[in-house]
């Protein structure tokens, strides 16, 4: 929506030529719909029955409009605007306040407070502006609607930035002038046409001002030089500029920011011109437009600036019809054409990539969404995770292309993610909006970066460890992957449901899981499985047989072993053939009682059968002729196999 500020230029106006002060602020700027408050402090008593104080306004380019008045405790406001304006009085400070409600751009005006005794509708018509050279004469005519034999025509001027100055007053019976100006200015009156004329001689730049004609009551006719009444009706003023040379304006076309949906507001600014008199005109395809608004000129460093605006139909603007703004000045007419430009649009190239501060997959992670080479500079980035907007504050950098090439822009948006959350595999999206709502989305996930499935290393306790274990044994599963995998254990194909049997450690790209079970349970197992799950890949598992292959009965033979002739040692030898590929242990017995430690043997996996020999030195306390010796083979956790027996190998 195009917002137009309400510009209120407030000018303090005195009453008559008597020295009275009416003080009010110089200017106010408010927005449409806001209230207006103007305070006017006067030097006379507002409670006196001799004076009336009135509020009057003059919109730019129009006549004076009476608002209301306060007199002897009575407040009155013009009927047509009584719902908008109200009056308030503070007798202790002699202050009168004008209050307006719901102010709109059409209420922009110069608002005057003035002292007088009555108000009624009269017209004073004078030219809008005049420009003359130094030394030339000045002639301003003011035609009035009232009787010039009953009321004076007064002439007053106001140089830029200064107060009002009375020049003189005239009616059919008398004429009065300010002494210091009587040699430069003269007053004449044509009673038939009700026209007063102000003539100035040898005008100089210092005489530049707004010259007003105003109605003055017949105080002079009553021989009361300083009466208590003021100037009750005013002309809109003639801007007189005395300058040695005219400087042409520079004209700039203006277009509202944003497109909106309704009509379009166009503007025209003329700067650097002198004299101040300048008029704007508007045309569409050469046809004059009459609804333009022109604002008062402003002065800086002896040069002037003027602004005009106009509302045009959107369909004409979108059809790229040419609008022409003309600044008409004494130096000539300067034109500016305004046509809707075909917008140059270059969509961005979008890339989305991860950045690690250290080793990939193990350190803090940032995601960078890069938009490059786009135009115009209207681009934004929104971050989403699994379709939901991320409530984070990204770090953004915007760059412009170097000089010498057609201008484009680049935008980098960066967010940080929790590495643990990232490893869970969410889909993070970078949504780009460019120009008038054009959207593009790029997605990234750890699933897309790492396409290889994880590797699993499963370690089970050895046969010897299980046999020696007093109570529990532990299997270890190590999963090497960048994903935050879920590791589960399965015993004989059934998922383990007792979580306190599992401990897990995650470090960098390794997930280690240890399963602890009783040795008695382990001896009953046939298989164990470690399974790694994540939605980024198909489930991967590692399976190992615990029981080993089915064992057939091996051949077990015990015999005497003679390594050499000696009387100090006696050896027994256990020879086993037709063994399957399962770990085992061997023991020697005397009269059925173990006399040796368990001799563990780890057999490699092979398609053929194995044969092994283990020897045992018989302790001397068993060197008795009544001792019978055997050896036993225990393979896996199945039943043991007993050898033949031998005896009578000792003489004593």
């Amino acid at each position: 929506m195009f917002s137009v500020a309400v510009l209120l230029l407030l000018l303090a106006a005195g009453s008559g030529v008597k020295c009275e002060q009416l003080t009010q602020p110089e200017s106010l700027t408010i927005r449409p719909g806001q209230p207006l408050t103007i305070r006017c402090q006067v030097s006379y008593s507002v409670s006196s029955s001799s004076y009336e104080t009135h509020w009057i306004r003059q919109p730019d380019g129009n006549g004076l409009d009476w608002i209301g008045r306060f007199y002897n405790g009575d407040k009155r406001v013009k009927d047509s605007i009584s719902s908008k304006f109200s009056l308030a009085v503070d007798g202790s400070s002699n202050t009168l306040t004008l209050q307006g409600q719901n102010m709109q751009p059409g209420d922009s005006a110069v608002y005057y407070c003035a002292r007088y005794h009555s108000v009624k509708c009269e017209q004073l018509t004078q030219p809008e502006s005049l420009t003359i050279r130094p030394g030339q004469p000045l002639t301003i005519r003011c035609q009035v609607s009232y009787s010039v034999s009953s009321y004076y025509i007064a002439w007053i001027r106001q140089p830029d930035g200064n107060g009002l100055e009375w020049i003189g007053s005239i009616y059919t019976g008398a004429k009065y002038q300010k002494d210091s100006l009587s040699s430069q200015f003269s007053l004449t009156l044509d009673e038939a046409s009700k026209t007063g004329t102000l003539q100035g001689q040898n005008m100089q730049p210092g005489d530049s001002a707004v010259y007003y004609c105003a109605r003055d009551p017949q105080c002079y006719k009553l021989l009361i030089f300083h009466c208590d009444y003021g100037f009750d009706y005013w002309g809109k003023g003639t801007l007189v500029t005395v300058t040695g040379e005219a400087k042409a304006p520079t004209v700039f076309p203006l277009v509202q920011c944003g497109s909106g949906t309704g009509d379009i507001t166009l503007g025209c600014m003329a700067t650097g011109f002198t004299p101040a008199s300048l008029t704007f005109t508007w045309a569409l395809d050469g046809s004059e437009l009459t609804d333009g608004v022109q604002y008062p000129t402003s002065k800086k460093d002896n040069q002037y600036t003027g602004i005009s605006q106009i509302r045009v139909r959107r369909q004409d603007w979108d059809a790229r019809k040419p609008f022409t703004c003309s600044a008409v000045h004494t130096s000539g007419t300067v034109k500016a054409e305004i046509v809707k430009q075909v917008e140059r649009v270059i969509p961005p190239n979008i890339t989305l990539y991860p950045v690690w501060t250290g080793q990939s997959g193990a350190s803090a992670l940032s995601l960078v969404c890069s938009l490059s080479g786009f135009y115009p500079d209207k681009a934004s980035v929104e971050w989403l995770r699994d379709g939901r907007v991320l409530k984070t504050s990204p770090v953004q950098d915007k760059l412009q292309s170097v000089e010498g090439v057609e201008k484009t822009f680049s935008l980098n948006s960066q967010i940080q993610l929790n590495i643990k959350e990232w490893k869970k595999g969410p889909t993070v999206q970078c949504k780009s909006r460019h120009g008038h709502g054009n959207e593009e989305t790029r997605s990234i996930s750890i699933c897309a970066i790492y396409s290889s499935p994880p590797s699993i290393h499963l370690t089970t306790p050895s046969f010897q460890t299980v046999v020696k274990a007093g109570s529990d044994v532990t299997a270890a599963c190590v999963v090497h992957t960048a994903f935050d995998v879920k590791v589960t254990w399965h015993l004989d194909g059934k998922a383990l449901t007792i979580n306190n049997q599992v401990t897990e450690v995650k470090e960098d790209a390794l997930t280690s899981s240890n399963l602890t079970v009783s040795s008695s349970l382990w001896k009953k197992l046939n298989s164990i499985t470690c399974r790694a799950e994540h939605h980024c890949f198909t489930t991967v598992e590692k399976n190992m047989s615990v029981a080993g292959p089915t064992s057939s009965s091996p051949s077990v033979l015990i015999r005497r072993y003679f390594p050499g002739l000696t009387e100090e040692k006696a050896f027994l030898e256990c020879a086993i053939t037709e063994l399957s590929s399962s770990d085992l242990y061997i023991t020697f017995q005397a009269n059925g009682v173990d006399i040796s430690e368990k001799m563990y043997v780890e057999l490699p996996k092979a398609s053929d059968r194995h044969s092994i020999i283990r020897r045992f030195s018989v302790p001397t306390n068993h060197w008795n002729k009544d001792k019978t010796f055997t050896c036993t083979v225990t393979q896996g956790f199945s039943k043991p196999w007993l050898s033949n027996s031998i005896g009578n190998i000792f003489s004593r």
Side-chain angles (χ1 to χ4, degrees):
M1 176 179 178
F2 183 72
S3 176
V4 180
V6 180
L7 181 62
L8 304 174
L9 302 177
L10 308 176
L11 178 64
S15 59
V17 295
K18 181 180 178 181
C19 184
E20 297 285 8
Q21 295 294 324
L22 293 87
T23 305
Q24 59 187 106
E26 182 176 337
S27 65
L28 291 172
T29 300
I30 59 177
R31 293 192 177 276
Q34 289 186 330
L36 166 69
T37 300
I38 311 174
R39 293 179 176 84
C40 176
Q41 188 174 33
V42 302
S43 58
Y44 53 88
S45 173
V46 295
S47 303
S48 173
S49 61
S50 301
Y51 309 121
E52 295 182 9
T53 305
H54 294 258
W55 284 97
I56 307 163
R57 67 177 177 177
Q58 185 176 30
D60 183 50
N62 294 283
L64 295 167
D65 179 27
W66 179 73
I67 299 173
R69 68 109 169 102
F70 176 78
Y71 170 65
N72 196 24
D74 180 42
K75 291 182 286 187
R76 293 188 182 180
V77 178
K78 186 177 179 181
D79 290 341
S80 60
I81 54 175
S82 60
S83 61
K84 176 180 284 287
F85 293 100
S86 61
L87 307 178
V89 179
D90 182 358
S92 62
S93 62
N94 289 327
T95 300
L96 299 98
T97 302
L98 173 67
Q99 294 174 313
Q101 306 299 322
N102 189 29
M103 301 297 286
Q104 298 299 323
D107 295 314
S108 298
V110 180
Y111 285 68
Y112 300 95
C113 62
R115 189 186 76 167
Y116 191 52
H117 63 287
S118 64
V119 176
K120 81 174 202 179
C121 182
E122 298 288 2
Q123 295 293 325
L124 294 89
T125 305
Q126 61 185 107
E128 183 176 333
S129 63
L130 291 172
T131 301
I132 57 176
R133 294 185 178 278
Q136 287 186 332
L138 169 69
T139 300
I140 307 176
R141 292 178 176 83
C142 176
Q143 188 175 31
V144 302
S145 61
Y146 56 86
S147 171
V148 294
S149 62
S150 301
Y151 297 95
Y152 285 86
I153 296 178
W155 288 95
I156 304 156
R157 70 176 178 179
Q158 185 177 30
D160 184 37
N162 293 282
L164 297 167
E165 183 181 25
W166 177 71
I167 300 173
S169 299
I170 185 172
Y171 86 113
T172 55
K175 175 174 63 174
Y176 301 93
Q177 287 186 251
K178 184 177 181 180
D179 292 341
S180 61
L181 298 177
S182 60
S183 62
Q184 183 178 6
F185 293 97
S186 61
L187 310 179
T188 60
L189 184 65
D190 182 353
E191 184 177 4
S193 63
K194 298 181 181 180
T195 301
T197 302
L198 172 68
Q199 292 178 308
Q201 306 301 320
N202 189 28
M203 300 293 287
Q204 298 299 320
D207 296 313
S208 297
V210 179
Y211 286 73
Y212 296 95
C213 59
R215 191 179 82 161
D216 187 1
Q218 289 194 37
C219 300
Y220 305 106
K221 187 175 181 180
L222 300 174
L223 302 180
I224 304 172
F225 189 76
H226 294 295
C227 68
D228 290 332
Y229 302 106
F231 308 115
D232 52 359
Y233 292 99
W234 292 62
K236 65 181 180 179
T238 300
L239 175 62
V240 176
T241 304
V242 184
T243 180
E245 63 176 291
K247 185 177 180 181
T250 301
V251 179
F252 299 93
L254 306 173
V255 181
Q256 74 177 55
C257 296
S259 58
T261 57
D263 291 344
I264 300 295
T265 299
L266 305 181
C268 194
M269 181 172 67
T271 64
F273 59 90
T274 185
S277 177
L278 179 139
T279 303
F280 288 99
T281 62
W282 289 89
L284 170 60
D285 274 341
S287 300
E288 184 180 1
L289 301 175
T290 60
D291 49 353
V293 177
Q294 181 169 337
Y295 295 96
T297 57
S298 60
K299 182 181 180 181
K300 183 179 181 181
D301 298 331
N302 294 320
Q303 294 184 351
Y304 293 89
T305 298
I307 296 177
S308 177
Q309 72 176 46
I310 191 171
R311 297 280 287 175
V312 301
R313 298 192 311 165
R314 172 170 291 278
Q315 53 264 46
D316 292 334
W317 177 251
D318 289 341
R320 305 191 69 241
K321 293 184 178 181
F323 293 88
T324 303
C325 165
S326 300
V328 182
H329 189 251
T330 56
S331 61
T333 300
V334 182
K335 297 183 178 182
E337 187 175 81
I338 308 176
V339 179
K340 182 179 181 180
Q341 300 298 311
V342 177
E343 188 175 14
R344 171 175 166 247
V345 177
I346 302 176
N349 295 316
I350 307 173
T351 54
L352 177 58
Y353 55 91
V355 175
W356 285 273
T357 56
Q359 182 181 356
S360 172
S363 62
L365 169 69
S366 295
L367 295 181
V368 178
C369 185
S370 177
L371 282 61
S372 61
F374 61 86
Y375 189 88
D377 183 18
K378 296 178 182 178
S380 63
V381 170
E382 184 179 51
W383 290 91
L384 301 94
R385 173 180 168 176
D386 292 333
R388 295 184 178 181
V389 176
L390 274 174
K391 295 181 179 179
T392 183
S393 298
V395 177
Q396 296 197 154
D397 296 312
K398 185 174 287 186
L399 301 174
Q400 181 179 323
S401 60
V402 297
E403 296 182 1
V405 297
E406 200 169 48
K407 182 190 295 184
T408 58
F409 298 90
S410 297
L411 174 66
N412 290 328
S413 181
Q414 178 176 317
I415 62 170
Q416 283 193 331
L417 285 185
N418 183 293
I419 192 66
K420 292 183 179 180
E421 294 299 316
W422 169 250
K423 288 184 175 182
K424 292 179 180 178
T427 298
V428 181
Q429 294 174 307
C430 160
K431 181 183 287 187
S432 160
R433 290 186 177 90
H434 179 246
H436 301 295
N438 298 323
E439 293 186 358
E440 283 193 61
T441 300
R442 296 291 184 273
S443 300
I444 192 171
S445 169
I446 194 173
C447 303
I449 297 176
Y450 300 102
S451 57
S452 300
S455 61
I456 301 178
H457 181 68
L458 178 59
T459 304
T460 58
S462 66
F463 174 71
Q464 180 178 350
T465 300
V466 176
V467 172
K468 289 183 176 182
S471 56
D472 296 334
V473 294
T474 300
C477 180
V478 178
V479 183
H480 188 280
T481 180
F483 304 111
D484 183 16
V485 294
K486 177 183 178 182
V487 177
T488 57
W489 291 90
H490 298 257
L491 306 180
D492 290 339
K494 296 181 180 180
L496 183 68
T497 58
I498 305 175
N499 294 328
N500 59 7
Q501 293 181 276
V502 178
T503 58
E504 187 173 276
V505 177
K506 294 181 182 290
E507 183 177 357
D508 296 340
L510 293 177
T511 299
S512 300
S513 180
N514 292 333
L515 170 65
T516 300
V517 298
S518 65
S519 59
S520 59
L521 174 61
W522 186 269
K523 293 174 182 179
K524 298 176 183 178
L525 292 177
N526 292 313
S527 66
I528 185 170
T529 303
C530 174
R531 180 176 295 173
E533 298 175 282
H534 195 277
H535 70 84
C536 288
F537 57 81
T538 304
T539 298
V540 178
E541 63 182 34
K542 186 78 171 181
N543 184 27
M544 290 187 69
S545 174
V546 175
T550 303
S551 301
S552 57
S553 298
S555 172
V556 183
L557 175 66
I558 190 170
R559 59 194 176 201
R560 183 82 181 268
Y561 173 64
F562 300 96
L565 297 176
T566 176
E567 296 182 356
E568 297 180 357
K569 291 185 178 182
F571 290 93
L572 296 176
E573 183 177 80
C574 188
I576 308 103
T577 60
E578 298 299 320
L579 281 168
S580 60
S581 299
S582 293
D583 295 346
L584 54 87
Y585 67 84
I586 302 168
T587 56
F588 288 85
Q589 297 83 34
N591 293 338
V593 179
D594 287 344
I595 60 173
S596 70
E597 298 290 335
K598 295 181 176 68
M599 300 178 182
Y600 290 93
V601 179
E602 295 181 358
L603 295 178
K605 295 186 181 298
S607 57
D608 296 333
R609 296 287 180 172
H610 296 275
S611 298
I612 62 171
I613 295 174
R614 287 296 180 267
R615 299 181 180 93
F616 174 67
S617 176
V618 182
T620 57
N621 61 324
H622 292 289
W623 287 11
N624 299 319
K625 63 180 179 180
D626 58 349
K627 294 284 187 178
T628 300
F629 299 96
T630 57
C631 66
T632 302
V633 176
T634 304
Q635 187 174 32
F637 304 111
S638 59
K639 66 177 182 177
W641 290 283
L642 185 64
S643 70
N644 60 305
S645 63
I646 60 173
N648 297 317
I649 61 175
F650 297 103
S651 59
R652 56 183 184 182

